Amino acid sequence: YKQLELKVAAILSADPTFMEEVMPGSDQHAATARRYAALGITTESDLANRFKYWRGLAKRQNFRRVYGGGPGKAVQTFWTWGRVRVPYDLCQREDDDFFERHPVFAQWQKNLLAEATRTHRLELPLTGNVRWFEGDSTTIEETYYSEIVNFPVQGTAALIALSAGIDMQKAFIRFGLQSMLVMNRYDALYFDGPLHERPIVTSLASKILPNPSYYQKLCAYLGRTIPLELD
């Protein structure tokens, strides 16, 4: 799946700008990379010469924000993944720019924290998967913030991929195929089978994976949808 967790974050938060940015044909990572030049993190010429490199860094920074990493983590990520030294204040400006453009998403993350500190739990829609958080409100916020904003996104994305795998395996059985799902790894599914079955497996994947059963029910429950894309 392409940018599955970003799509999940957008649809769960209902942030209209975020949802628009992850629609098919859009590239949020490329857009973030382009903003680096405007903010002074890189230059226009270096961005043009090494666009793939900067897009890769932008991808990691986009996911960092979704999972609650702050400017300090941004500094570390730029250095760890790109050997680029970016001052803390520029990382802070880049984060401020992101959250100013996505106020609904920012509020959604705050609401998750408020719910976790008040009830000591978060529950995924439809399935009821629960994550518990122990301690007083200060302890929960200081210890579990990244897990709190991570759990609904990564948990829902995992359920989408799991549902897709189950739907595919049911189709294999229905058509009497030898092919089977052999592994589900994050947002990727791995199939194995005889080569002569590859055309039908590919055809089934193109029909089933963009809209697996759980995702259909989730979109109906939320009253909104974002088309899923495959690589």
Side-chain angles (χ1 to χ4, degrees):
Y1 284 104
K2 295 174 64 175
Q3 302 184 84
L4 179 61
E5 289 162 0
L6 292 185
K7 290 175 183 284
V8 168
I11 197 172
L12 289 180
S13 67
D15 187 296
T17 303
F18 204 163
M19 290 182 66
E20 185 65 27
E21 289 175 347
V22 296
M23 285 292 179
S26 302
D27 189 338
Q28 191 179 30
H29 303 323
T32 297
R34 292 188 186 98
R35 279 190 287 271
Y36 288 165
L39 290 169
I41 292 175
T42 186
T43 63
E44 290 282 359
S45 60
D46 190 47
L47 181 63
N49 292 332
R50 299 195 297 165
F51 187 78
K52 185 176 180 181
Y53 168 84
W54 283 105
R55 185 187 179 280
L57 288 177
K59 176 179 179 179
R60 290 177 172 86
Q61 297 295 6
N62 282 334
F63 281 107
R64 169 191 59 81
R65 277 187 290 261
V66 167
Y67 296 138
K73 182 66 174 178
V75 173
Q76 179 184 344
T77 301
F78 273 119
W79 176 248
T80 302
W81 292 98
R83 287 297 184 263
V84 179
R85 295 192 183 278
V86 180
Y88 182 93
D89 65 320
L90 282 183
C91 291
Q92 179 70 68
R93 282 176 56 195
E94 208 262 324
D95 274 8
D96 291 345
D97 176 67
F98 175 86
F99 287 110
E100 284 174 9
R101 289 182 292 105
H102 305 92
V104 177
F105 175 73
Q107 186 59 52
W108 177 73
Q109 287 190 320
K110 292 176 183 177
N111 292 344
L112 289 175
L113 177 61
E115 182 179 351
T117 55
R118 178 175 57 86
T119 66
H120 299 270
R121 69 195 296 274
L122 289 176
E123 182 175 331
L124 298 185
L126 300 181
T127 61
N129 297 65
V130 173
R131 177 78 189 268
W132 293 88
F133 307 96
E134 296 183 357
D136 58 30
S137 59
T138 301
T139 300
I140 290 174
E141 180 172 359
E142 292 180 351
T143 308
Y144 299 111
Y145 178 70
S146 61
E147 285 83 359
I148 288 167
V149 297
N150 180 323
F151 171 62
V153 176
Q154 211 160 37
T156 301
L159 287 171
I160 291 170
L162 180 62
S163 173
I166 292 171
D167 288 349
M168 286 290 288
Q169 189 63 46
K170 287 180 177 178
F172 295 160
I173 295 171
R174 185 167 66 250
F175 286 97
L177 303 182
Q178 291 178 276
S179 296
M180 62 180 65
L181 174 71
V182 294
M183 184 166 66
N184 176 330
R185 183 175 182 269
Y186 301 109
D187 56 0
L189 301 172
Y190 297 79
F191 304 103
D192 195 11
L195 282 176
H196 71 267
E197 290 184 359
R198 181 170 183 169
I200 189 172
V201 171
T202 301
S203 177
L204 288 170
S206 68
K207 293 180 176 69
I208 292 172
L209 298 187
N211 201 21
S213 302
Y214 168 72
Y215 191 61
Q216 294 178 35
K217 294 174 183 177
L218 178 66
C219 291
Y221 172 81
L222 296 173
R224 51 187 178 271
T225 189
I226 298 174
L228 301 182
E229 298 174 279
L230 306 174
D231 234 346

